[in-house]
Amino acid sequence: MTARVVRRDDALAVVEIVGEIDVHTSGELRVILLALADEGRTHIVADFTGVRFCDAAGLGALVGVNNRLARDGGSLRLTGVRPAQRRILRITRLDQLFRPYDDVDDALTT
């Protein structure tokens, strides 16, 4: 898994994630996203277009980051989520926490 910050504006960051988010990589993703929160980025858009797989550990990392951002009045938004991953979000009811956006522009304007 790789995560690259492709945009930083005041309280916003957009992060492109590629690969698999699992028990081996979820901690790294959490560290990257929380570092952005520590910099004052309260709104983070995670672009999942390149994410092939996300397991329960990955979902847990996302929930933890979202909780931290929400505490400061912010949010974590997911874009480019594949149909199979959307299904997992629906099954776990995390789609109510993470409304999947079609693309980064959609996440930034809604």
Side-chain angles (χ1 to χ4, degrees):
M1 188 244 9
T2 61
R4 181 174 66 101
V5 179
V6 295
R7 179 174 171 183
R8 285 185 179 150
D9 298 328
D10 298 323
L12 169 75
V14 177
V15 181
E16 253 179 24
I17 305 166
V18 177
E20 297 185 357
I21 305 170
D22 58 22
V23 69
H24 302 292
T25 60
S26 60
E28 178 184 353
L29 180 61
R30 178 182 290 129
V31 167
I32 291 166
L33 297 178
L34 289 177
L36 291 167
D38 289 342
E39 292 173 5
R41 306 307 194 279
T42 53
H43 298 283
I44 298 175
V45 175
D47 184 353
F48 267 52
T49 303
V51 175
R52 295 182 305 271
F53 176 79
C54 182
D55 71 5
L59 293 175
L62 296 173
V63 169
V65 170
N66 184 74
N67 290 346
R68 163 69 192 287
L69 295 171
R71 187 178 61 201
D72 296 330
S75 64
L76 175 63
R77 295 182 174 188
L78 308 181
T79 67
V81 178
R82 295 173 187 225
Q85 295 164 349
R86 284 181 186 237
R87 183 171 179 259
I88 296 296
L89 291 174
R90 250 189 334 273
I91 290 169
T92 60
R93 301 194 60 140
L94 287 175
D95 62 334
Q96 298 188 16
L97 182 63
F98 301 114
R99 176 183 154 225
Y101 295 86
D102 292 330
D103 55 42
V104 171
D105 290 335
D106 185 32
L108 294 177
T109 58
T110 305

